[in-house]
Structures are given as structure tokens and as C-alpha cells.
Amino acid sequence: MQVVLTASSAESARLVAQEILDALASKPDLVLGLATGSTPVPVYARLREAAARGEADFSRVTTFNLDEYIGLPVEHPRSYHSFMREHLFEGLRVAADRTAFPPTAGADLPARCAEFEERIRACGGIDLQLLGLGRNGHIGFNEPGSPLDSRTRTVQLCERTLEDNARFFESGEDQPRRAVTMGIATILDARRILLQAAGPAKAHAVRSAVEGPVTETLPASALRRHADTTFYLDPGAARDLTPSERVPAH
Ligand code: GLP
């Protein structure tokens, strides 16, 4: 695991976006794993801008999102489908059949989750996976206690995660308590992983992931088992790291 300390979350976004654009330039049919939450929004804005300037062509890219809520129709404004449409897919004009999400409705969800995994494999696996980080160390919706060998499945969200994500819902609006997420093992199958974290609220999770033991109680610590993962951290998120873990951005 490499840790890159940036000057700001905006600089992290610039570096992550540039890495995606470089990967796309060398592999036009790139397979991207995508995250939601507020952290990747500026990265997605940069990708849209590059596409609008004609500097990047996403028409052959395939995407797999990490997670989706159970109980929200895909067209609901708070669904991760809607989030991705608004922040990325419409601007890039990615065809809907090249964007996949974990299944959240219909009969026999476990079988459909297995099909989602199979679809990733059939595309040759994820080249580049973007991740955010929950305050409790979750990645995707793999909450503390998620098995390191977990695959795409239904999960129950923790109270802390529900509190953190309540800001995306209107008061009185029903906030889903369950989701389907790629598993830890699904994420670790990606060839390269970029995790972005910003702000002091993430500092404890960052330090535990980077310096603590690999443990199911801190899902992001599993990334230490991955051969090619970089954490992009702003000063707030890196606040609690011991200085030797820090590598300045270049
Ligand atoms: C949600 C998503 C995670 C994301 C997290 C962090 O819980 N399921 O994939 O990493 O939010 O969100 P933010 O970037 O808003 O801090």
C-alpha cells in the first residue's frame, strides 16, 4: 500500500482523475470500478470536463459500481444509479448497458449477485477501482465485521453509516437500511485500487487502515493485502499517521 499526502482534497481529485485518464489513454476499453459519496464528486467533474474538451473517450469503457441501496427504485433521486447518472454517466455519454450495479431487486438476489460477479470476470476483471472510506473504515458498504473473503451480497448498514449518509436524504424521507455491495474479496480482485479520503473525520479510520492490523473490524485494512493500492489523503485525513507513512504528492 502506498500513501500519498496531498495539499488538499482538490489536489487528490486532480491526481486520481489524471490516473484514470492515463489508464484510459493506454487502454480504451478500461474496466472501471466506481464509488459514490461526496469524495469522488470532484474526480467525476474532472473526467466530464476532459471528455467535453475531447481529451478523453469513454465510449468503450465498462463500469461497475460498488454498491446500491435496497428499497429505492433505480430512478429515485437518492439511488446510486441517479447519483452516477448526474455526476458522471450523462456527462460522459456512457451507454447504459456498459454501466453495471449490484442487483437490489427481484427474486433470488444471491443468484443475481453471483451473476454480477460473473459479469466482472467476463469483462476481464476491474482494471482500476475507486474507493472512498467510511468513518468506521467501511469500503463500499462492507461494514465492520465483513469477512475478508466476502463477495457481492446483501448487507445491513451500521447506525453510524446511516447517520453519515442521512445528509443525502430529506428529513422525513425513508432512508434505506440495507444495501447490496461488492465484497472485500471482489474489491481486492481489482488490478489497481485508488482510495481517497478527506477531512479529519476520516483520520482515525485512515490510521487504523494504514498502521493497524489487517482485521475484519476495519474493512479498509484488507487493502494492505492488495499488491497495488494507493491512498490519496488530504492533510485532515492524514492527520493521525506517523510521519514515516507519508509520501508527498509529486
Ligand atoms: C457511502 C458509500 C461508500 C463511500 C462512503 C464515504 O457509504 N457507500 O462507498 O466510500 O459513503 O462517503 P463520503 O465520500 O461522502 O465521505
Side-chain angles (χ1 to χ4, degrees):
M1 175 192 289
Q2 197 198 4
V3 176
V4 175
L5 178 63
T6 65
S8 63
S9 57
E11 190 189 9
S12 298
R14 182 177 62 77
L15 293 170
V16 169
Q18 193 55 52
E19 184 160 339
I20 296 168
L21 293 170
D22 291 347
L24 177 63
S26 59
K27 187 173 187 259
D29 58 348
L30 193 68
V31 181
L32 269 177
L34 298 175
T36 54
S38 48
T39 312
V41 168
V43 174
Y44 296 154
R46 284 181 169 274
L47 299 183
R48 291 196 319 265
E49 285 157 18
R53 287 194 300 265
E55 294 166 9
D57 175 6
F58 285 83
S59 61
R60 292 176 56 200
V61 165
T62 303
T63 69
F64 290 91
N65 261 81
L66 279 167
D67 45 20
E68 178 58 287
Y69 289 116
I70 290 180
L72 291 186
V74 296
E75 59 281 354
H76 189 284
R78 315 282 173 249
S79 76
Y80 285 164
H81 281 74
S82 296
F83 176 97
M84 293 307 302
R85 260 198 312 276
E86 176 188 342
H87 291 287
L88 191 66
F89 296 152
E90 278 178 358
L92 296 188
R93 300 205 181 89
V94 178
D97 63 354
R98 301 188 85 99
T99 64
F101 288 76
T104 54
D108 202 358
L109 265 188
R112 297 194 56 218
C113 288
E115 284 167 19
F116 177 77
E117 294 265 343
E118 182 47 40
R119 190 168 168 190
I120 296 174
R121 275 191 292 274
C123 286
I126 291 174
D127 294 306
L128 198 52
Q129 174 70 54
L130 301 192
L131 293 178
L133 180 67
R135 270 197 305 153
N136 62 3
H138 76 218
I139 48 177
F141 270 140
N142 290 284
E143 300 281 34
S146 295
L148 299 182
D149 63 356
S150 53
R151 292 276 164 191
T152 304
R153 70 204 184 287
T154 300
V155 291
Q156 203 76 33
L157 304 181
C158 293
E159 286 304 323
R160 201 171 185 191
T161 298
L162 291 168
E163 278 166 31
D164 287 346
N165 290 344
R167 68 188 193 280
F168 294 112
F169 292 84
E170 310 287 340
S171 73
E173 198 172 31
D174 271 346
Q175 186 180 352
R177 305 184 72 87
R178 293 193 308 149
V180 178
T181 183
M182 285 187 197
I184 303 279
T186 322
I187 292 170
L188 292 181
D189 280 346
R191 278 183 273 283
R192 173 137 175 80
I193 299 176
L194 309 181
L195 181 146
Q196 261 182 287
K202 306 288 174 73
H204 178 73
V206 165
R207 179 172 181 174
S208 305
V210 174
E211 299 182 21
V214 174
T215 165
E216 292 178 356
T217 58
L218 202 292
S221 68
L223 298 168
R224 299 239 296 282
R225 299 248 169 101
H226 188 262
D228 195 11
T229 290
T230 301
F231 277 32
Y232 286 91
L233 307 174
D234 80 343
R239 187 188 63 185
D240 296 349
L241 287 181
T242 54
S244 62
E245 299 292 342
R246 301 171 175 208
V247 178
H250 34 269

